[in-house]
Amino acid sequence: MAPDAVLPTDSPAAAVPAPRQHIRLTSHPGQGSAGAPTIRWGAADPIERGPVVGTTTHRSQRNVIGTHSGSYGVYRALAVAAGNLERGHRADLTDTSPTDVVGPHPQWADADRIVSIDPWGATVASVYAAQIAQGYDIRPTIAVTKAHIDLPEIRQAMAFLRLRPDGRVLLDNGSAVVTKVALEPVWWLPGVARRFNVSEGELRRTLFEETGGMYPELVTRSDIEVFLPPIGGQTLYIFGDPRDLANPEVTLTARIHDECNGSDVFGSDICTCRPYLTHAIEECIQGAQQGGVGLIAYSRKEGRALGEVTKFLVYNARKRQVGGDSADKYFLRTECVAGVQDMRFQELMPDVLHWLGVKKIHRLVSMSNDKYDAITGSGIEVGERIKIPDALVPADARVEIEAKIAAGYFTDGSVPTESDLAGVKGRGLD
Amino acid sequence: MAPDAVLPTDSPAAAVPAPRQHIRLTSHPGQGSAGAPTIRWGAADPIERGPVVGTTTHRSQRNVIGTHSGSYGVYRALAVAAGNLERGHRADLTDTSPTDVVGPHPQWADADRIVSIDPWGATVASVYAAQIAQGYDIRPTIAVTKAHIDLPEIRQAMAFLRLRPDGRVLLDNGSAVVTKVALEPVWWLPGVARRFNVSEGELRRTLFEETGGMYPELVTRSDIEVFLPPIGGQTLYIFGDPRDLANPEVTLTARIHDECNGSDVFGSDICTCRPYLTHAIEECIQGAQQGGVGLIAYSRKEGRALGEVTKFLVYNARKRQVGGDSADKYFLRTECVAGVQDMRFQELMPDVLHWLGVKKIHRLVSMSNDKYDAITGSGIEVGERIKIPDALVPADARVEIEAKIAAGYFTDGSVPTESDLAGVKGRGLD
């Protein structure tokens, strides 16, 4: 950024053809905000906490930066522009309430324990019924439903008699019965800043500048503390009774999985993502059948949150480098292209576990030291760590898994040395 | 929006604690833009067209609104704030160039044919090598690589001898050999506006207002025509020789698939998404083995671009309504919650086909009338339409498929009547 300051006093708003009405470029304290509810993040009582209002319809009600639906807010804007969606549509929330009650848990009343989810996001229609009746446009940021899921890998586990249907968790037809939860990000900026050990001002400014100027209110409205970022959220799949997640006496099997479309959907053999995910689902089903509860928390953080374009550029660089794809150069190639090895920031990840009331994960189906450190660092106990069975690691994915083990991933075997790593080779680009 | 205009002349930027330097709230014509290359969208020659520069490092070079990596730009900003990523990191693009050449095709030189992708996005390191050497921070928005993909459904098709390995498209071990491509959205706003039959000013203003004020430059900088929106992009999986996609003499089997994480990854039985996708992959492999070429174009448009929270709210409303989940109420429940049936906007979807040079899709593995209309309306010929085999439709997904057929989805059977639809029932919430 250039060091000179140019505040937009001379904005050529008139350059926009045929304005329908005056455009309000950004919002300011005291400007029509009389009707915006105050948010007291971490207050135990939802009325005292106050609703999150991200409506684009009634600007005076807004108490956040950004809007609902994560990055899909851009599509909603397109729908309005195209004339498909009526400006000011209010969601009819009839019959949409959660199929299962989650919380409230004591963790919800600790402002710094949950900073990236609105704990009341699933129940706005009931806890803020009075405000909605008064005309406030309050929308759920969490939805809870039931589903049957049917995966070929689970059918295979049944064929090999590793899993047996019980009519409750796993049906005769191979379907598993789950509760599933979708969550949108709701960031309380003071708490997010503390997680990353930066000042709130520095966080706000960097979010603004490094996105090329998204949401000037990040820097002009320090009085608005909540940001609905235009990013993907999370999905939870719960096997067994969701209430058991908060009971440390019930064995919890859990995997925290970060999206990898290429493997999760298409079965790319360069990584272990889908095999590990489906193994975790098998573990969750077994655990729930034995009286425990299972949890898959799936985050939309494609390619270590670098995005898929960067990921594919790295694949090419790995496979073309002198000496070919090898485990000792695994992280280096990502760093050369992206500047970092990873942008997933497990710092915010435990929030969803605290939302569920989790105090102990008895069986963590993950080898990631970053995830383990984030979970235990947030005060959740972890028992056993379950590695991916060797038989499930695709040949071309050995480069990744060995590099990660050398870098600190959990293993019950030996940690490869530098020269071991140099000998772990992947396929070329063919 | 309130009708009064308040331009941010009185922005309390000083409310941000301890600013490192003056903050530039937004950009203005003539303000340090001397170094920004001009973009002449649709120019046949890439130098005349000019590079897309979305860097956050050298503001004077920028000729777009927004930044790279779609919604992952927010994570990159977090990485800088947290001190993990050096401000101003430049990607080392060594060895990252595309594994396969795509284009240039005549379609690239038609400004209105491709409005949401930068056709030169895969080859910036070569076509803009001189500008990069001069210090311009030009990044790829497209990456092309090779992969082997291994899906249980393809192994099953081999077990039933519907597919046989040929050592080229399908290997003995069950892996299919693909070229895959990741694409970030690059919107040329004048062209996007024309696609939706709105004025550019109206589009810009609505994108700004209905996102809660994202990127004021949308309304203040009508001279900047290109927007990098913070949304998900697309991934292509190509079976056979990618060059054949542009040859209408070679049989092209193609599916345009919109993301559905619940089915694509987890096998939820409420819809046909994964079964139709894996059937399409089987068709693509067969087609490529017979001398044709196959294409899966996967778009990140979760839940009809409504996002997963809205999707799950709709599931609850469908299954709890009086009379239970039934095909005649299928679209109504989405409209009640979201205000529209669908926000996917197939209007922009054909761009990627024109980028590939596609002139004819011989076998379109899709029943969607919206997709068919968008593809043929953009000048691409469509031959046969391949419906999902009945045996692959999960029982609970009949509600969706019958409702869609009644609403115009392709079928070679009979179209259900209103009373037929009322009789197609889904499972309750259990």
Side-chain angles (χ1 to χ4, degrees), chain A residues 111-128:
Chain A
D112 278 308
R113 192 61 69 98
I114 299 175
V115 301
S116 61
I117 294 169
D118 175 7
W120 303 100
T123 50
V124 296
S126 55
V127 298
Y128 300 120

Side-chain angles (χ1 to χ4, degrees), chain A residues 24-103:
Chain A
R24 191 188 288 239
L25 272 186
T26 186
S27 58
H28 302 282
Q31 169 200 306
S33 61
T38 300
I39 297 176
R40 292 179 191 85
W41 196 266
D45 177 74
I47 303 301
E48 192 195 338
R49 208 296 302 271
V52 167
V53 187
T55 178
T56 55
T57 309
H58 303 286
R59 193 175 181 106
S60 64
Q61 299 178 353
R62 286 170 54 82
N63 58 13
V64 302
I65 299 166
T67 190
H68 284 293
S69 305
S71 56
Y72 292 104
V74 174
Y75 280 93
R76 195 174 52 235
L78 258 192
V80 172
N84 292 17
L85 175 61
E86 193 187 351
R87 205 179 291 264
H89 167 79
R90 290 285 284 273
D92 171 1
L93 298 177
T94 305
D95 290 334
T96 63
S97 65
T99 55
D100 292 82
V101 175
V102 175

Side-chain angles (χ1 to χ4, degrees), chain A residues 16 211 215 219 235 308 320, chain B residues 16 97 211 215 219 235 308 320:
Chain A
V16 179
T211 54
Y215 292 117
V219 288
T235 318
E308 217 175 25
R320 281 174 175 150
Chain B
V16 180
S97 65
T211 54
Y215 293 119
V219 288
T235 318
E308 218 175 26
R320 282 175 175 150

Side-chain angles (χ1 to χ4, degrees), chain A residues 121-409:
Chain A
T123 50
V124 296
S126 55
V127 298
Y128 300 120
Q131 288 83 347
I132 291 172
Q134 285 166 32
Y136 283 95
D137 181 11
I138 302 169
R139 305 184 184 197
T141 55
I142 302 176
V144 184
T145 189
K146 293 279 195 197
H148 291 191
I149 65 173
D150 184 349
L151 291 105
E153 291 87 347
I154 296 304
R155 288 172 182 263
Q156 191 178 30
M158 292 169 76
F160 283 99
L161 303 179
R162 295 200 307 270
L163 285 177
R164 287 184 164 75
D166 65 325
R168 181 179 65 93
V169 180
L170 185 60
L171 308 182
D172 286 342
N173 69 2
S175 288
V177 178
V178 297
T179 303
K180 59 182 190 175
V181 185
L183 302 99
E184 286 174 18
V186 178
W187 288 3
W188 180 55
L189 294 169
V192 172
R194 279 195 284 276
R195 287 282 173 88
F196 291 109
N197 292 313
V198 295
S199 71
E200 184 187 343
E202 182 69 18
L203 174 68
R204 285 170 174 265
R205 179 179 182 146
T206 310
L207 282 173
F208 173 71
E209 290 183 348
E210 295 294 326
T211 54
M214 179 190 286
Y215 292 117
E217 288 161 305
L218 285 166
V219 288
T220 62
R221 291 295 303 268
S222 57
D223 60 311
I224 303 187
E225 296 189 331
V226 174
F227 178 37
L228 307 182
I231 61 174
Q234 298 174 79
T235 318
L236 310 179
Y237 285 76
I238 301 163
F239 304 78
D241 187 339
R243 284 171 301 192
D244 287 338
L245 291 164
N247 182 353
E249 304 302 313
V250 176
T251 300
L252 168 55
T253 303
R255 174 167 174 78
I256 316 296
H257 186 92
D258 293 324
E259 175 177 18
C260 169
N261 192 261
S263 172
D264 293 345
V265 177
F266 288 94
S268 168
D269 73 348
I270 200 171
C271 58
T272 57
C273 298
R274 184 173 174 97
Y276 212 171
L277 176 65
T278 56
H279 178 67
I281 292 172
E282 184 175 333
E283 292 277 353
C284 285
I285 291 171
Q286 272 175 348
Q289 287 182 328
Q290 291 162 11
V293 60
L295 171 69
I296 306 288
Y298 189 97
S299 289
R300 301 299 182 95
K301 293 179 182 171
E302 176 60 56
R304 301 187 203 151
L306 301 169
E308 217 175 25
V309 169
T310 299
K311 182 176 183 171
F312 290 7
L313 294 175
V314 171
Y315 287 163
N316 283 350
R318 278 174 53 188
K319 292 192 174 290
R320 281 174 175 150
Q321 64 192 322
V322 175
D325 190 17
S326 73
D328 58 331
K329 304 278 174 52
Y330 174 77
F331 289 112
L332 177 66
R333 299 294 6 145
T334 306
E335 275 195 50
C336 285
V337 176
V340 292
Q341 293 179 3
D342 198 308
M343 281 187 193
R344 279 179 289 181
F345 293 113
Q346 303 299 346
E347 286 86 343
L348 301 178
M349 173 271 285
D351 284 17
V352 75
L353 302 172
H354 293 296
W355 179 70
L356 293 164
V358 170
K359 296 187 197 79
K360 177 172 180 177
I361 297 174
H362 303 70
R363 307 186 79 235
L364 179 64
V365 190
S366 169
M367 295 158 71
S368 164
N369 49 322
D370 288 341
K371 290 175 187 167
Y372 177 85
D373 292 346
I375 293 169
T376 56
S378 80
I380 293 171
E381 190 184 344
V382 171
E384 197 180 354
R385 295 164 77 179
I386 315 294
K387 46 176 257 186
I388 185 171
D390 280 341
L392 295 183
V393 179
D396 201 45
R398 292 232 75 91
V399 169
E400 178 192 297
I401 203 82
E402 297 295 336
K404 286 181 168 177
I405 290 172
Y409 259 44

